[in-house]
Amino acid sequence: MGWGDLGVFGEPSKETPNLDQMAAEGMLFLDFYTASPLCSPSRAALLTGRLPVRNGFYTTNGHARNAYTPQDIVGGIPDSELLLPELLKKAGYTNKIIGKWHLGHRPQFHPLRHGFDEWFGSPNCHFGPYDSRERPNIPVYRDWDMVGRYYEDFKIDLKTGEANLTQLYLQEALDFISKQQASQQPFFLYWAIDATHAPVYASKQFLGTSQRGLYGDAVREIDDSVGKILKHLQQLGISENTFVFFTSDNGAALISAPKQGGSNGPFLCGKQTTFEGGMREPAIAWWPSHIPAGGVSHQLGSVMDLFSTSLSLAGLQPPSDRQIDGIDLLPVMLQGKLTDRPIFYYRGNELMAVRAGLYKAHYWTWSNSWEEHNKVMGIDFCPGQSVAGVTTHTQEEHTYLPLLFHLGRDPGEKYPLSFASDEYQRAVERISGLVQQHKASLVPGQPQLNVCDQAVMNWSPPGCEKLGKCLKAPESDPKKCSWPH
Amino acid sequence: MGWGDLGVFGEPSKETPNLDQMAAEGMLFLDFYTASPLCSPSRAALLTGRLPVRNGFYTTNGHARNAYTPQDIVGGIPDSELLLPELLKKAGYTNKIIGKWHLGHRPQFHPLRHGFDEWFGSPNCHFGPYDSRERPNIPVYRDWDMVGRYYEDFKIDLKTGEANLTQLYLQEALDFISKQQASQQPFFLYWAIDATHAPVYASKQFLGTSQRGLYGDAVREIDDSVGKILKHLQQLGISENTFVFFTSDNGAALISAPKQGGSNGPFLCGKQTTFEGGMREPAIAWWPSHIPAGGVSHQLGSVMDLFSTSLSLAGLQPPSDRQIDGIDLLPVMLQGKLTDRPIFYYRGNELMAVRAGLYKAHYWTWSNSWEEHNKVMGIDFCPGQSVAGVTTHTQEEHTYLPLLFHLGRDPGEKYPLSFASDEYQRAVERISGLVQQHKASLVPGQPQLNVCDQAVMNWSPPGCEKLGKCLKAPESDPKKCSWPH
């Protein structure tokens, strides 16, 4: 989902009354970022509080490449990483993930081996359907075992866009919350829905209800579900004791527009890029009687802050034996304090850009290659947008003379500041210092997204025997994964 | 000002608390349009309730050209046009215009000859400073007489952007409202401020206060002033008896960005164009205890509706001897009723595009000419945006096969519908009918913006003798005005 997909962020159809209401009752973050312009690395960052380059969710197969976790990926979340639910357990929390895990699908990466107590959802994207010979359909798990596969047991109608998955995920959430409330146990719910990811889907009752087409139907269903979850918390009397945060793992995928792609509002480009459209996210915090209603914050925030903030809420300290990139947002939300901190925009293992205050310096620019762009059904991460020297189709290095934008005057990254200006000199000097400091202390993790192997796909997930859904894996043939952008 | 310039419309710096509050207390129009992508024609349409092609505010000097009222223009608002204040007089209203008139500066076009009782402001844009030989500075009037000139008596510092004009206009507004309230007389105030028009300006206390630079400072001062006007109405106890509407006369001028140009949010291009960025406007209606607080409307609205709506509020009927393009929005605002009506996008005398429901058909596309575009400091009405076959730099006719967009799925006008689709056929058939009907009944007015003459400039406005500010006009030498875009 993109920054511009909510009514409260200026989506012109204004079809998200529940999320808009959540913002009115809580705090809106206007300058909130994900940790990568792509799904898996962002999610790994959310749960570890660490940049993908530290936690291993990147590739070195090419320069500045986006990589994720398709089902032939060999890697996943390393055991050495400490995930938020692992830490919350120490404070007595029961942890559940509903929806897409995306941190690796092989047994050692299973969410219940990394701190979660319950899981309903899938390890990978809901791509498909597959033929079960070349490629198995993606499994859906309940806890340790798979309970079916997409397109077989969990239908997604690619023609109509109908699928009831968001309703299933909603019911799971409501039930889990009820159960935790009944047992008076604290809980962490990671509600990782994926209806706005292509192939976009919505339940029957939402199909055709949006002015925005199928994508809008999916947004409406998510909006409706969020409303129901918040209401449930209120009805159970635990809303003042429950912190809720809504955000997204990357900007709207403009390559999927107009039918399956959302909006990044006034920002440049979308998913896969390190322009604002790729990484600036809708973000709303909600905690009645604690976070002041109707608050708006310009704190530079990150999904990684949810790690530190959640620990803080649980009275825990973040691990001290490793670099944590997240910061505790409680002082921002409860006392309106602002913390000066940079935002790092990575693509793979390359630091593409850095934001400090209102300035953003690009050290590398790239949208996608000419080769991809010029294909007949060309891939274009910036459709309809073209800023000379900025949305480049070759990887352009600006290390020694970064492209600098002032995001207040120029949120769309269209007008680089003059290299000769005092303003440029001052801002770049400051950002260069931050970069130096960052790079000096950076210990990259073992890259997890380099090796692919058809043998590791979801042929025979645990529980497949009971369902008669085990498939035969081909022989192992590990290869370097191909990451074209 | 552009659609995306207010926080409530998703401006990412969110610096318009008063306008956002006005929306929260009133009704937000998300699909509200001006009548032309340029200032003078839009303002003529607002005050006459009629399209510029009817009221004469267009040119035939070139095909599909934008024209306005610089000080060498010979034409202006024809006597045959009935202006809103002329009509409101019949219901006992006192009418005041504060700010930019723009409907002609020669004596016969003076606002006090067209229904206004009071005026403080200028007839033309605040361009300058001029040398008083080749070109006089623009006068500022109080009622019938000029009281000074821009840059001479009413300072605008082009270096710092400082000018206290918005404060003068604010005080004028507050005083007028107080006076009317004291005398228990109904009033119409046309508060036509121009701080966001290049050269953009703000008062000292607002300079440097915005994240968005000088343009943002100007927006903040306007926002602050609107807040003060609304508060004044409340303090005088007449807010429930006063209808207030906020909108703009054209989209943000992206040619002036980033320093002097605003934001059209997710929409395509800006001022001067008939894409959404050129004509979709921020719009807020406010009338406590009548218009429900927090309302949002998708009614296709137009500045011309303010003519009909205002008459309706005053218990008057619109003139029946001519075509009125505005509709009465009271049923929309008070009862939530929606009226199906088209929006016509003109450039000069050419119908460029038509919106009906969520569909928009382009019969002509043009951004600006290659000639203008390719100059070194090239003029570009769509900076950073380029949609093949849409943001064309030649005038492209699509009369027999209009380009069709679905503004719900594709508000940015990037993905024309397939000519072969049923959806295309159905929508174009419907819109073609509307166009046929529109064109069949169209009686164009005498074009007012064809002839320019240096002799008609503001050399010796009424009152100049008293100030010793009369200048000698050159000999009359009428020529066809040049309208390059």
Side-chain angles (χ1 to χ4, degrees), chain B residues 36-67:
Chain B
S36 163
L38 209 66
C39 40
S40 304
S42 286
R43 287 156 190 250
L46 163 68
L47 290 175
T48 61
R50 285 151 59 78
L51 282 165
V53 70
R54 299 191 212 273
N55 66 35
F57 266 69
Y58 69 101
T59 182
T60 55
N61 288 2
H63 178 250
R65 301 300 166 111
N66 293 318

mmCIF file of all heavy atoms in Angstrom, chain B residues 36-67:
data_model
loop_
_atom_site.group_PDB
_atom_site.id
_atom_site.type_symbol
_atom_site.label_atom_id
_atom_site.label_comp_id
_atom_site.label_asym_id
_atom_site.label_seq_id
_atom_site.Cartn_x
_atom_site.Cartn_y
_atom_site.Cartn_z
ATOM 1 N N SER B 36 -11.696 27.247 -15.958
ATOM 2 C CA SER B 36 -10.618 27.470 -16.919
ATOM 3 C C SER B 36 -9.307 27.196 -16.182
ATOM 4 O O SER B 36 -9.231 27.404 -14.977
ATOM 5 C CB SER B 36 -10.644 28.927 -17.407
ATOM 6 O OG SER B 36 -9.413 29.277 -18.011
ATOM 7 N N PRO B 37 -8.273 26.749 -16.883
ATOM 8 C CA PRO B 37 -7.001 26.544 -16.187
ATOM 9 C C PRO B 37 -6.227 27.834 -15.960
ATOM 10 O O PRO B 37 -5.050 27.796 -15.641
ATOM 11 C CB PRO B 37 -6.235 25.600 -17.126
ATOM 12 C CG PRO B 37 -6.819 25.799 -18.468
ATOM 13 C CD PRO B 37 -8.235 26.261 -18.277
ATOM 14 N N LEU B 38 -6.900 28.954 -16.107
ATOM 15 C CA LEU B 38 -6.241 30.249 -15.949
ATOM 16 C C LEU B 38 -7.148 31.216 -15.185
ATOM 17 O O LEU B 38 -8.373 31.094 -15.191
ATOM 18 C CB LEU B 38 -5.906 30.820 -17.326
ATOM 19 C CG LEU B 38 -4.683 31.744 -17.361
ATOM 20 C CD1 LEU B 38 -3.423 30.968 -17.037
ATOM 21 C CD2 LEU B 38 -4.549 32.400 -18.727
ATOM 22 N N CYS B 39 -6.518 32.208 -14.603
ATOM 23 C CA CYS B 39 -7.149 33.092 -13.629
ATOM 24 C C CYS B 39 -8.356 33.887 -14.137
ATOM 25 O O CYS B 39 -9.484 33.677 -13.678
ATOM 26 C CB CYS B 39 -6.100 34.037 -13.067
ATOM 27 S SG CYS B 39 -4.932 34.662 -14.300
ATOM 28 N N SER B 40 -8.160 34.845 -15.033
ATOM 29 C CA SER B 40 -9.254 35.744 -15.421
ATOM 30 C C SER B 40 -10.516 35.008 -15.884
ATOM 31 O O SER B 40 -11.618 35.316 -15.414
ATOM 32 C CB SER B 40 -8.818 36.694 -16.545
ATOM 33 O OG SER B 40 -7.688 37.426 -16.192
ATOM 34 N N PRO B 41 -10.381 34.050 -16.791
ATOM 35 C CA PRO B 41 -11.594 33.374 -17.248
ATOM 36 C C PRO B 41 -12.330 32.669 -16.109
ATOM 37 O O PRO B 41 -13.573 32.679 -16.068
ATOM 38 C CB PRO B 41 -11.064 32.361 -18.270
ATOM 39 C CG PRO B 41 -9.725 32.860 -18.692
ATOM 40 C CD PRO B 41 -9.175 33.583 -17.505
ATOM 41 N N SER B 42 -11.563 32.089 -15.177
ATOM 42 C CA SER B 42 -12.200 31.413 -14.043
ATOM 43 C C SER B 42 -12.965 32.389 -13.177
ATOM 44 O O SER B 42 -14.065 32.093 -12.700
ATOM 45 C CB SER B 42 -11.135 30.740 -13.175
ATOM 46 O OG SER B 42 -10.657 29.601 -13.806
ATOM 47 N N ARG B 43 -12.378 33.559 -12.978
ATOM 48 C CA ARG B 43 -13.023 34.544 -12.119
ATOM 49 C C ARG B 43 -14.260 35.135 -12.794
ATOM 50 O O ARG B 43 -15.279 35.404 -12.142
ATOM 51 C CB ARG B 43 -12.016 35.645 -11.762
ATOM 52 C CG ARG B 43 -10.993 35.143 -10.758
ATOM 53 C CD ARG B 43 -9.697 35.906 -10.793
ATOM 54 N NE ARG B 43 -8.705 35.218 -9.982
ATOM 55 C CZ ARG B 43 -8.240 35.667 -8.825
ATOM 56 N NH1 ARG B 43 -8.630 36.821 -8.347
ATOM 57 N NH2 ARG B 43 -7.368 34.969 -8.132
ATOM 58 N N ALA B 44 -14.174 35.317 -14.103
ATOM 59 C CA ALA B 44 -15.360 35.772 -14.841
ATOM 60 C C ALA B 44 -16.468 34.721 -14.745
ATOM 61 O O ALA B 44 -17.644 35.052 -14.596
ATOM 62 C CB ALA B 44 -14.994 36.049 -16.291
ATOM 63 N N ALA B 45 -16.069 33.459 -14.790
ATOM 64 C CA ALA B 45 -17.060 32.380 -14.699
ATOM 65 C C ALA B 45 -17.684 32.324 -13.309
ATOM 66 O O ALA B 45 -18.901 32.140 -13.162
ATOM 67 C CB ALA B 45 -16.390 31.051 -15.040
ATOM 68 N N LEU B 46 -16.870 32.500 -12.293
ATOM 69 C CA LEU B 46 -17.369 32.506 -10.916
ATOM 70 C C LEU B 46 -18.443 33.574 -10.735
ATOM 71 O O LEU B 46 -19.504 33.331 -10.150
ATOM 72 C CB LEU B 46 -16.194 32.774 -9.969
ATOM 73 C CG LEU B 46 -16.486 33.217 -8.532
ATOM 74 C CD1 LEU B 46 -17.135 32.102 -7.737
ATOM 75 C CD2 LEU B 46 -15.211 33.658 -7.835
ATOM 76 N N LEU B 47 -18.183 34.760 -11.261
ATOM 77 C CA LEU B 47 -19.096 35.886 -10.997
ATOM 78 C C LEU B 47 -20.295 35.937 -11.950
ATOM 79 O O LEU B 47 -21.272 36.627 -11.667
ATOM 80 C CB LEU B 47 -18.318 37.206 -11.046
ATOM 81 C CG LEU B 47 -17.329 37.416 -9.881
ATOM 82 C CD1 LEU B 47 -16.517 38.685 -10.083
ATOM 83 C CD2 LEU B 47 -18.056 37.459 -8.529
ATOM 84 N N THR B 48 -20.202 35.227 -13.079
ATOM 85 C CA THR B 48 -21.335 35.219 -14.027
ATOM 86 C C THR B 48 -22.093 33.903 -14.023
ATOM 87 O O THR B 48 -23.171 33.820 -14.606
ATOM 88 C CB THR B 48 -20.851 35.468 -15.471
ATOM 89 O OG1 THR B 48 -19.950 34.409 -15.843
ATOM 90 C CG2 THR B 48 -20.147 36.813 -15.605
ATOM 91 N N GLY B 49 -21.494 32.863 -13.425
ATOM 92 C CA GLY B 49 -22.120 31.545 -13.468
ATOM 93 C C GLY B 49 -22.065 30.914 -14.844
ATOM 94 O O GLY B 49 -22.763 29.935 -15.111
ATOM 95 N N ARG B 50 -21.238 31.497 -15.709
ATOM 96 C CA ARG B 50 -21.213 31.050 -17.099
ATOM 97 C C ARG B 50 -19.780 30.728 -17.543
ATOM 98 O O ARG B 50 -18.825 31.363 -17.116
ATOM 99 C CB ARG B 50 -21.758 32.171 -18.003
ATOM 100 C CG ARG B 50 -23.262 32.312 -17.926
ATOM 101 C CD ARG B 50 -23.735 33.732 -18.184
ATOM 102 N NE ARG B 50 -23.367 34.313 -19.475
ATOM 103 C CZ ARG B 50 -23.970 34.050 -20.632
ATOM 104 N NH1 ARG B 50 -24.966 33.164 -20.685
ATOM 105 N NH2 ARG B 50 -23.592 34.660 -21.737
ATOM 106 N N LEU B 51 -19.694 29.760 -18.444
ATOM 107 C CA LEU B 51 -18.396 29.399 -19.004
ATOM 108 C C LEU B 51 -17.752 30.603 -19.680
ATOM 109 O O LEU B 51 -18.449 31.422 -20.293
ATOM 110 C CB LEU B 51 -18.563 28.275 -20.025
ATOM 111 C CG LEU B 51 -18.760 26.863 -19.469
ATOM 112 C CD1 LEU B 51 -19.270 25.926 -20.566
ATOM 113 C CD2 LEU B 51 -17.467 26.334 -18.860
ATOM 114 N N PRO B 52 -16.440 30.709 -19.620
ATOM 115 C CA PRO B 52 -15.753 31.818 -20.280
ATOM 116 C C PRO B 52 -16.116 31.955 -21.756
ATOM 117 O O PRO B 52 -16.201 33.077 -22.270
ATOM 118 C CB PRO B 52 -14.275 31.458 -20.093
ATOM 119 C CG PRO B 52 -14.242 30.657 -18.828
ATOM 120 C CD PRO B 52 -15.521 29.879 -18.817
ATOM 121 N N VAL B 53 -16.351 30.843 -22.422
ATOM 122 C CA VAL B 53 -16.678 30.931 -23.846
ATOM 123 C C VAL B 53 -18.021 31.639 -24.058
ATOM 124 O O VAL B 53 -18.302 32.176 -25.122
ATOM 125 C CB VAL B 53 -16.668 29.521 -24.493
ATOM 126 C CG1 VAL B 53 -17.843 28.692 -24.001
ATOM 127 C CG2 VAL B 53 -16.628 29.607 -26.012
ATOM 128 N N ARG B 54 -18.849 31.662 -23.020
ATOM 129 C CA ARG B 54 -20.119 32.389 -23.109
ATOM 130 C C ARG B 54 -19.958 33.840 -22.674
ATOM 131 O O ARG B 54 -20.522 34.748 -23.282
ATOM 132 C CB ARG B 54 -21.181 31.755 -22.206
ATOM 133 C CG ARG B 54 -21.534 30.323 -22.538
ATOM 134 C CD ARG B 54 -22.785 29.917 -21.739
ATOM 135 N NE ARG B 54 -22.777 28.502 -21.398
ATOM 136 C CZ ARG B 54 -23.236 27.539 -22.183
ATOM 137 N NH1 ARG B 54 -23.747 27.829 -23.370
ATOM 138 N NH2 ARG B 54 -23.209 26.272 -21.802
ATOM 139 N N ASN B 55 -19.193 34.047 -21.595
ATOM 140 C CA ASN B 55 -19.138 35.419 -21.054
ATOM 141 C C ASN B 55 -18.052 36.272 -21.715
ATOM 142 O O ASN B 55 -17.858 37.423 -21.346
ATOM 143 C CB ASN B 55 -18.981 35.393 -19.515
ATOM 144 C CG ASN B 55 -17.647 34.810 -19.051
ATOM 145 O OD1 ASN B 55 -16.626 34.987 -19.697
ATOM 146 N ND2 ASN B 55 -17.673 34.124 -17.911
ATOM 147 N N GLY B 56 -17.362 35.717 -22.690
ATOM 148 C CA GLY B 56 -16.408 36.501 -23.467
ATOM 149 C C GLY B 56 -14.970 36.423 -23.017
ATOM 150 O O GLY B 56 -14.099 36.999 -23.672
ATOM 151 N N PHE B 57 -14.695 35.689 -21.919
ATOM 152 C CA PHE B 57 -13.323 35.651 -21.403
ATOM 153 C C PHE B 57 -12.489 34.566 -22.082
ATOM 154 O O PHE B 57 -12.016 33.603 -21.466
ATOM 155 C CB PHE B 57 -13.325 35.542 -19.879
ATOM 156 C CG PHE B 57 -13.235 36.908 -19.266
ATOM 157 C CD1 PHE B 57 -14.309 37.782 -19.383
ATOM 158 C CD2 PHE B 57 -12.075 37.361 -18.667
ATOM 159 C CE1 PHE B 57 -14.223 39.076 -18.886
ATOM 160 C CE2 PHE B 57 -11.989 38.650 -18.168
ATOM 161 C CZ PHE B 57 -13.056 39.510 -18.287
ATOM 162 N N TYR B 58 -12.284 34.808 -23.394
ATOM 163 C CA TYR B 58 -11.470 33.869 -24.174
ATOM 164 C C TYR B 58 -10.936 34.611 -25.385
ATOM 165 O O TYR B 58 -11.302 35.760 -25.647
ATOM 166 C CB TYR B 58 -12.301 32.652 -24.591
ATOM 167 C CG TYR B 58 -13.379 32.944 -25.609
ATOM 168 C CD1 TYR B 58 -13.194 32.649 -26.972
ATOM 169 C CD2 TYR B 58 -14.577 33.543 -25.236
ATOM 170 C CE1 TYR B 58 -14.174 32.909 -27.901
ATOM 171 C CE2 TYR B 58 -15.567 33.825 -26.168
ATOM 172 C CZ TYR B 58 -15.351 33.505 -27.502
ATOM 173 O OH TYR B 58 -16.321 33.795 -28.421
ATOM 174 N N THR B 59 -10.049 33.953 -26.103
ATOM 175 C CA THR B 59 -9.473 34.550 -27.298
ATOM 176 C C THR B 59 -9.713 33.647 -28.506
ATOM 177 O O THR B 59 -9.826 32.426 -28.351
ATOM 178 C CB THR B 59 -7.959 34.781 -27.141
ATOM 179 O OG1 THR B 59 -7.457 35.419 -28.314
ATOM 180 C CG2 THR B 59 -7.210 33.466 -26.952
ATOM 181 N N THR B 60 -9.762 34.268 -29.656
ATOM 182 C CA THR B 60 -9.795 33.493 -30.905
ATOM 183 C C THR B 60 -8.532 33.771 -31.729
ATOM 184 O O THR B 60 -8.478 33.450 -32.909
ATOM 185 C CB THR B 60 -11.042 33.843 -31.740
ATOM 186 O OG1 THR B 60 -11.081 35.265 -31.954
ATOM 187 C CG2 THR B 60 -12.323 33.402 -31.069
ATOM 188 N N ASN B 61 -7.542 34.357 -31.071
ATOM 189 C CA ASN B 61 -6.296 34.670 -31.801
ATOM 190 C C ASN B 61 -5.507 33.429 -32.210
ATOM 191 O O ASN B 61 -4.658 33.490 -33.091
ATOM 192 C CB ASN B 61 -5.378 35.560 -30.962
ATOM 193 C CG ASN B 61 -5.912 36.975 -30.856
ATOM 194 O OD1 ASN B 61 -6.990 37.272 -31.384
ATOM 195 N ND2 ASN B 61 -5.184 37.845 -30.174
ATOM 196 N N GLY B 62 -5.743 32.361 -31.531
ATOM 197 C CA GLY B 62 -5.075 31.113 -31.855
ATOM 198 C C GLY B 62 -5.981 29.987 -31.430
ATOM 199 O O GLY B 62 -6.980 30.223 -30.727
ATOM 200 N N HIS B 63 -5.644 28.775 -31.814
ATOM 201 C CA HIS B 63 -6.502 27.658 -31.433
ATOM 202 C C HIS B 63 -6.175 27.182 -30.022
ATOM 203 O O HIS B 63 -5.016 26.897 -29.701
ATOM 204 C CB HIS B 63 -6.317 26.480 -32.403
ATOM 205 C CG HIS B 63 -7.156 25.302 -32.018
ATOM 206 N ND1 HIS B 63 -6.620 24.132 -31.526
ATOM 207 C CD2 HIS B 63 -8.504 25.151 -32.010
ATOM 208 C CE1 HIS B 63 -7.605 23.289 -31.254
ATOM 209 N NE2 HIS B 63 -8.762 23.882 -31.539
ATOM 210 N N ALA B 64 -7.205 27.104 -29.204
ATOM 211 C CA ALA B 64 -7.076 26.520 -27.858
ATOM 212 C C ALA B 64 -6.038 27.229 -27.005
ATOM 213 O O ALA B 64 -5.205 26.588 -26.372
ATOM 214 C CB ALA B 64 -6.773 25.022 -27.960
ATOM 215 N N ARG B 65 -6.096 28.545 -26.996
ATOM 216 C CA ARG B 65 -5.107 29.309 -26.241
ATOM 217 C C ARG B 65 -5.689 29.862 -24.951
ATOM 218 O O ARG B 65 -6.835 30.319 -24.921
ATOM 219 C CB ARG B 65 -4.616 30.499 -27.086
ATOM 220 C CG ARG B 65 -3.982 30.097 -28.394
ATOM 221 C CD ARG B 65 -2.752 29.198 -28.175
ATOM 222 N NE ARG B 65 -2.370 28.555 -29.420
ATOM 223 C CZ ARG B 65 -1.252 28.839 -30.097
ATOM 224 N NH1 ARG B 65 -0.412 29.725 -29.626
ATOM 225 N NH2 ARG B 65 -0.978 28.215 -31.226
ATOM 226 N N ASN B 66 -4.872 29.828 -23.927
ATOM 227 C CA ASN B 66 -5.238 30.468 -22.670
ATOM 228 C C ASN B 66 -4.961 31.959 -22.777
ATOM 229 O O ASN B 66 -3.890 32.359 -23.216
ATOM 230 C CB ASN B 66 -4.398 29.903 -21.529
ATOM 231 C CG ASN B 66 -4.711 28.449 -21.245
ATOM 232 O OD1 ASN B 66 -5.870 28.058 -21.233
ATOM 233 N ND2 ASN B 66 -3.683 27.648 -21.010
ATOM 234 N N ALA B 67 -5.939 32.741 -22.344
ATOM 235 C CA ALA B 67 -5.758 34.196 -22.357
ATOM 236 C C ALA B 67 -6.271 34.762 -21.047
ATOM 237 O O ALA B 67 -7.150 34.182 -20.410
ATOM 238 C CB ALA B 67 -6.528 34.807 -23.519
#
